[in-house]
Amino acid sequence: MAATAAAMTVETTCPARTEPRRLVIPVFVNPNARANRRNPRLAARLQTIVGGDGRVLAPRSLDELGQMAGALRADRPAAIAIHGGDGTLHKTLSALISAWQEAPLPPVAILCGGTMNVVAASLGLQERPAVMLTQLVASLRAGRPLETLRKRTVKVSDRSGARYGFIFGNGLLANFLTEYYGPNGYGPMRAVWIVLRCIASALVRGPFARRLFRRFEGEVKVDGQPLSWPNFASIGAATVREVGLGFKLNDRAHDDPDRFGVLAIHAGPLALLPDLPAVHAGRGISPERAFSTVASTLEVSSRPESQMTYTIDGDLYHTSAPIHVAVGPVIEFVKPQRALITKARGDTITELP
């Protein structure tokens, strides 16, 4: 279902003449995602929902994704839908922001289809993909204004360039994901198992907890001011509060719509155990064990310049260069309609499994 830049417009016939009209809604899907491999008909079913008012795009590489994003800017779509999890959302938005440059993106609808949908959950935007897409298409066809939620991104830059997302983290966050994506498969139960195993290991000061809490040594500057601790369990920056399983680790993420929350954890695993209920409730880690604030810039440099692993929205990256985190552009996310649409243009909705 991958589309080329030359096939981005939809044709409509008028009595007097035939002229192109803009693509109303492109739908990005990740053909390599586990959900799409399990359900090869998914792209076709999404195409049935948008009909002649859109096109499903399934880029098979980041280069192809960038080409499609660049072609879409000329078509000026009314909205863009992205099917997948946090990683698909982050990579697609990065390509779109790069292609649009300073121009604002059209409203974006998240079609939750990944193993991790932390961003959508944190923003209260979870809805079944077919229902969400049907609502969106029906609203555009009827000319109804879309109800949206605005959320700023974080821009994460290193030697390889800039990427955009909503959650940045190294240390504990990256180490957890390295374990999560291990050879034993991944999913919610895998995440729960890692948390429970880490708690048990921390109680006996075992090697598993030490591996997850492997310290980051380096220089950290928040709005140009260096932090005084010599090492950290984790450094994070985010504009959404949740990190998965309902844990709201980034408790300051929603404090300022024009900045991001910063969390620098300097305590060890055993000391942090009493904070677990508070983190789940959204009250954050005690100031005695973590530094928390809001900021416009964050600079993270390993010392010495050894390779550092970090995450953006669940995807892992590696660099030995300093990392610069800044505020990124605002995305307008389409809100699900609480009064669910049951029919669209006379066709009953068939929801995706």
Side-chain angles (χ1 to χ4, degrees):
M1 295 297 295
T4 63
M8 287 291 183
T9 56
V10 179
E11 300 290 327
T12 183
T13 303
C14 299
R17 61 181 178 173
T18 300
E19 61 182 14
R21 63 179 170 87
R22 64 195 173 100
L23 182 68
V24 174
I25 177 167
V27 182
F28 283 93
V29 301
N30 178 4
N32 301 315
R34 185 164 61 174
N36 292 297
R37 294 197 306 269
R38 288 178 173 177
N39 183 5
R41 299 177 299 159
L42 185 143
R45 297 183 73 179
L46 295 178
Q47 182 65 62
T48 298
I49 294 173
V50 296
D53 291 311
R55 185 182 297 276
V56 172
L57 307 175
R60 297 189 175 277
S61 67
L62 291 178
D63 287 342
E64 191 173 7
L65 173 60
Q67 293 168 8
M68 290 179 179
L72 278 179
R73 183 177 180 181
D75 287 304
R76 295 178 299 146
I80 296 173
I82 302 173
H83 179 275
D86 294 321
T88 300
L89 179 66
H90 139 64
K91 284 188 169 68
T92 305
L93 287 179
S94 292
L96 291 168
I97 292 169
S98 178
W100 255 253
Q101 298 179 359
E102 298 300 321
L105 294 181
V108 173
I110 302 177
L111 309 181
C112 299
T115 303
M116 297 176 64
N117 300 287
V118 172
V119 173
S122 189
L123 299 178
L125 300 177
Q126 288 182 300
E127 181 55 276
R128 287 162 292 183
V131 173
M132 184 69 180
L133 186 58
T134 301
Q135 292 176 355
L136 176 62
V137 173
S139 293
L140 294 177
R141 285 172 177 163
R144 293 192 297 267
L146 299 175
E147 186 179 359
T148 60
L149 177 153
R150 292 167 57 86
K151 179 55 61 176
R152 187 170 293 281
T153 57
V154 292
K155 178 183 179 181
V156 183
S157 305
D158 62 15
R159 185 180 293 143
S160 62
R163 302 178 180 93
Y164 299 85
F166 302 90
I167 304 169
F168 160 83
N170 72 356
L172 173 61
L173 289 178
N175 297 340
F176 183 95
L177 288 170
T178 299
E179 194 71 30
Y180 176 77
Y181 293 129
N184 297 321
Y186 54 89
M189 295 309 299
R190 172 71 174 167
V192 171
W193 166 244
I194 293 173
V195 171
L196 294 177
R197 185 181 176 190
C198 183
I199 292 172
S201 180
L203 291 172
V204 297
R205 304 181 187 275
F208 186 76
R210 291 198 301 271
R211 186 162 75 243
L212 257 61
F213 279 81
R214 188 168 56 252
R215 310 291 290 185
F216 162 75
E217 295 188 8
E219 184 178 47
V220 178
K221 293 182 179 179
V222 178
D223 285 340
Q225 298 299 312
L227 299 186
S228 59
W229 293 274
N231 54 63
F232 302 86
S234 181
I235 304 293
T239 56
V240 297
R241 301 176 75 197
E242 291 197 26
V243 294
L245 300 178
F247 284 97
K248 302 166 187 66
L249 184 64
N250 306 300
D251 63 301
R252 303 291 303 274
H254 294 177
D255 284 9
D256 188 333
D258 294 319
R259 295 191 288 175
F260 50 79
V262 172
L263 180 67
I265 304 173
H266 48 79
L270 195 59
L272 290 170
L273 286 180
D275 288 304
L276 284 178
V279 170
H280 199 272
R283 297 192 299 271
I285 298 174
S286 167
E288 298 176 358
R289 294 179 280 276
F291 170 79
S292 182
T293 188
V294 293
S296 298
T297 63
L298 172 69
E299 298 171 65
V300 182
S301 304
S302 59
R303 189 176 55 227
E305 284 196 6
S306 55
Q307 182 166 273
M308 181 190 345
T309 301
Y310 66 92
T311 177
I312 305 176
D313 294 359
D315 279 2
L316 291 172
Y317 299 94
H318 310 278
T319 186
S320 58
I323 298 171
H324 182 78
V325 183
V327 291
V330 171
I331 305 297
E332 282 197 63
F333 286 113
V334 179
K335 289 185 177 181
Q337 298 175 24
R338 295 312 170 194
L340 296 180
I341 298 171
T342 56
K343 290 183 180 292
R345 299 183 70 177
D347 298 326
T348 301
I349 294 174
T350 302
E351 295 181 13
L352 299 178

